[in-house]
Amino acid sequence: EAEQAESEEEQTEEPRRITLKRGDEEVEVDLEEAKNLAQMGYDYTKKTQEVAEQRKQVEMYAQAVKAQEQAIRQQAELQQVLIKDIAKVESLNDQIAAYERVDWNTLSDNDPVQAQKAYFAYTQLMNQRTQAQQELQGKYQQLTQQRTEHEQMQLAQAQQELVKMIPDWNADRAREVREAGKSYGFTDNELSNVTDPRMVKVLAEAAAFRKLQSEKATVTKKVSDKPAVVKPGAKDTIRAAQADYAKER
């Protein structure tokens, strides 16, 4: 009876309550309610962190896109300048070619003053072409450097995306992907210029499928080549049937 009374007291015991502080006021809540509130706070904090991480990734992606757009715009502007400089050099080449067809000895004998003026103009054109070629070479090197930096940035971003898509990416996987690509007709040069991680993922899945099919074929061949095993004490139905057939004949 005493145990029963104690059990009834435990059953009728009021739920435990704790005091929480909300702003400047304190409130009492049941322990179960406090647990629910704590879980809600944890979920909210977790979601907030996830949203913050997603926002951070979006901002990084936006910055990368902006940098790419700026690099592309600079390359386009520099290419336009190169086109103008090339046209300038070609124009100087045409003018110089006209002077190179002059018979300087005859011109000097007939009109020494005119010959001197023409030779001076010819020399000026030669100097202008040399300077224009040097400027063109410098701008071309600048454009090449910008393209190299842009390609390196693209490769770095593609590598990050590739690791996200294929967490176990390593040298072995890269070799399998290259072999799979070559089996579909891609050349080494084409595969070396692949920078889109989505393309690499497709080739990786193709390589995994081919590997699975190859392993499956190997296992099937081993099973088909393995002789049938008759357990000790078991009746060999095939041999028994052959014996009955021979007996009947």
Side-chain angles (χ1 to χ4, degrees):
E1 293 180 357
E3 293 179 355
Q4 183 177 359
E6 185 178 353
S7 177
E8 291 177 354
E9 289 178 358
E10 291 178 355
Q11 293 178 357
T12 58
E13 183 181 357
E14 294 184 358
R16 294 179 57 187
R17 300 176 67 82
I18 61 175
T19 302
L20 298 178
K21 188 173 183 180
R22 293 179 179 174
D24 296 332
E25 63 175 336
E26 294 182 352
V27 294
E28 287 189 358
V29 296
D30 295 341
L31 181 60
E32 190 65 27
E33 183 180 356
K35 291 181 180 179
N36 293 334
L37 291 174
Q39 182 64 40
M40 292 172 59
Y42 172 77
D43 293 340
Y44 175 77
T45 302
K46 186 177 180 180
K47 290 180 180 179
T48 302
Q49 293 174 348
E50 292 176 353
V51 171
E53 182 64 23
Q54 292 175 357
R55 183 184 297 112
K56 182 179 178 182
Q57 293 179 359
V58 170
E59 291 176 353
M60 292 176 60
Y61 179 76
Q63 291 176 358
V65 171
K66 185 176 181 180
Q68 289 183 0
E69 291 178 350
Q70 184 176 1
I72 293 173
R73 184 170 60 253
Q74 290 177 351
Q75 290 182 13
E77 293 174 354
L78 189 55
Q79 285 177 344
Q80 293 297 325
V81 174
L82 287 178
I83 292 174
K84 294 179 180 179
D85 288 349
I86 292 173
K88 180 180 179 181
V89 172
E90 291 297 329
S91 175
L92 291 171
N93 286 335
D94 293 339
Q95 297 178 59
I96 291 172
Y99 281 100
E100 289 176 346
R101 292 190 294 268
V102 173
D103 186 351
W104 294 103
N105 292 328
T106 303
L107 181 61
S108 297
D109 293 339
N110 296 333
D111 192 345
V113 176
Q114 183 62 28
Q116 185 177 6
K117 291 181 179 179
Y119 188 77
F120 178 74
Y122 171 67
T123 304
Q124 278 190 322
L125 289 174
M126 293 283 289
N127 293 335
Q128 291 176 7
R129 184 178 65 177
T130 301
Q131 183 178 357
Q133 288 176 337
Q134 291 176 351
E135 293 177 355
L136 179 61
Q137 183 66 22
K139 292 175 182 178
Y140 178 77
Q141 291 177 352
Q142 182 182 354
L143 178 61
T144 303
Q145 182 179 358
Q146 287 183 355
R147 285 178 175 174
T148 302
E149 293 175 353
H150 180 64
E151 290 174 357
Q152 291 176 349
M153 181 175 62
Q154 282 186 320
L155 287 175
Q157 293 176 354
Q159 185 69 22
Q160 293 177 357
E161 292 296 325
L162 186 60
V163 172
K164 292 179 182 179
M165 293 180 177
I166 310 176
D168 60 341
W169 180 259
N170 52 32
D172 293 335
R173 293 296 301 275
R175 184 171 56 256
E176 292 175 358
V177 167
R178 178 172 287 272
E179 294 300 325
K182 291 172 68 175
S183 68
Y184 285 108
F186 290 96
T187 64
D188 288 328
N189 186 43
E190 290 172 336
L191 292 171
S192 298
N193 292 326
V194 173
T195 57
D196 192 338
R198 297 171 298 179
M199 184 65 180
V200 179
K201 184 180 179 181
V202 171
L203 290 176
E205 292 177 351
F209 178 76
R210 291 169 63 88
K211 184 178 180 181
L212 180 64
Q213 292 296 104
S214 177
E215 293 175 350
K216 182 179 178 181
T218 302
V219 172
T220 303
K221 186 176 185 305
K222 289 182 178 179
V223 172
S224 62
D225 293 342
K226 187 175 181 181
V229 177
V230 179
K231 295 182 179 179
K235 185 178 180 180
D236 191 342
T237 57
I238 297 178
R239 291 184 180 179
Q242 291 175 347
D244 291 343
Y245 176 71
K247 183 178 178 181
E248 290 295 330
R249 291 191 62 183

